[in-house]
Amino acid sequence: MTRLLLIGPPGAGKGTQAARLAEAYVIPAISTGDIFRSNVRNHTELGAKAKAYMDAGDNVPDSLTNALIRDRLAEADCDSGFLLDGYPRTTDQVRELDEFLAGHGASLDVVVELVADPDVVVERLRKRAREHGRSDDDETVVRHRLEVYRDQTAPLVGIYDSRGVLAKIDGLGEIDDVTTRITAALADRGIVLPDAASR
Ligand code: ADP
């Protein structure tokens, strides 16, 4: 049972690392951003409610996000653990997640903070905007997302640090190197890759 959280500013590479870690540790990667985007694409009621916030680079209201994640974590594939990417990102969401996990006698094992310089993330997102055209990667929206991260999400790092579950990882450099840094930090905390465990 491995319960992980990836936290870091937009553009730090959370999505990329989440996909790799999910495969390596055989747990589902759960990205609230991806879930919201797929709801927008499929024109669901949730998507209609979330879209304006996302396009503006604001957090979707906690009530919507919390309800969504409760449903998602209750699905059977989370029985073996999960990797959260982009949730929680407010103190209210931390409270909600704590409550949900406590109800299952559980808590997060490790919170991985991907640290990246703001200038670097702006440049990465500029590139992503050119290549993929994500509507919230427009330059002014990106700046706003970084402010929202600084104001609402960065304080969560201190909360998890005080609980002794934080691993700070340098998010710069080659994608493979960042993955290696994360798996090493997890191994230090007793979370080993499944194929290593069975050897
Ligand atoms: P990034 O971390 O690069 O900003 P995400 O895909 O995590 O990208 O999120 C994109 C958008 O989805 C956010 O700007 C926000 O509007 C919405 N969103 C994602 N996760 C949450 C969350 N936990 N709470 C509120 N809004 C969220």
Side-chain angles (χ1 to χ4, degrees):
M1 221 355 192
T2 307
R3 301 179 195 86
L4 305 175
L5 160 61
L6 263 182
I7 194 165
K14 296 184 300 291
T16 303
Q17 295 300 330
R20 296 171 146 233
L21 296 168
E23 197 186 332
Y25 293 93
V26 199
I27 47 177
I30 301 174
S31 156
T32 39
D34 283 349
I35 298 173
F36 282 134
R37 275 186 292 279
S38 99
N39 274 276
V40 169
R41 257 195 321 274
N42 295 319
H43 303 283
T44 69
E45 204 177 313
L46 177 66
K49 287 181 184 154
K51 188 175 187 315
Y53 297 99
M54 297 174 73
D55 285 346
D58 284 316
N59 282 336
V60 174
D62 287 332
S63 54
L64 290 179
T65 313
N66 285 331
L68 167 123
I69 210 79
R70 264 184 183 274
D71 287 350
R72 182 63 188 87
L73 290 179
E75 284 177 36
D77 64 337
C78 294
D79 288 351
S80 58
F82 50 77
L83 169 65
L84 291 170
D85 158 13
Y87 180 96
R89 62 214 270 156
T90 65
T91 49
D92 185 76
Q93 293 178 14
V94 170
R95 246 189 319 273
E96 175 80 14
L97 178 63
D98 284 346
E99 223 171 82
F100 178 88
L101 291 176
H104 294 75
S107 62
L108 290 174
D109 298 309
V110 182
V111 173
V112 174
E113 181 195 9
L114 271 186
V115 181
D117 181 85
D119 289 338
V120 173
V121 305
V122 167
E123 191 42 52
R124 283 185 182 173
L125 293 170
R126 208 178 267 149
K127 185 161 171 258
R128 187 167 78 187
R130 281 196 304 269
E131 288 169 2
H132 303 288
R134 221 174 89 173
S135 59
D136 60 348
D137 279 345
D138 158 275
E139 180 112 18
T140 29
V141 179
V142 162
R143 300 250 170 227
H144 183 61
R145 281 160 61 208
L146 284 168
E147 283 168 14
V148 170
Y149 178 80
R150 187 194 58 207
D151 297 343
Q152 301 192 31
T153 309
L156 275 45
V157 170
I159 296 176
Y160 288 118
D161 195 18
S162 69
R163 294 183 188 178
V165 292
L166 186 72
K168 250 186 205 309
I169 302 292
D170 181 2
L172 299 186
E174 295 297 320
I175 291 173
D176 274 345
D177 294 341
V178 177
T179 309
T180 304
R181 280 175 217 147
I182 297 173
T183 48
L186 293 177
D188 281 348
R189 288 160 179 79
I191 296 171
V192 293
L193 290 164
D195 53 349
S198 62
R199 269 203 291 269

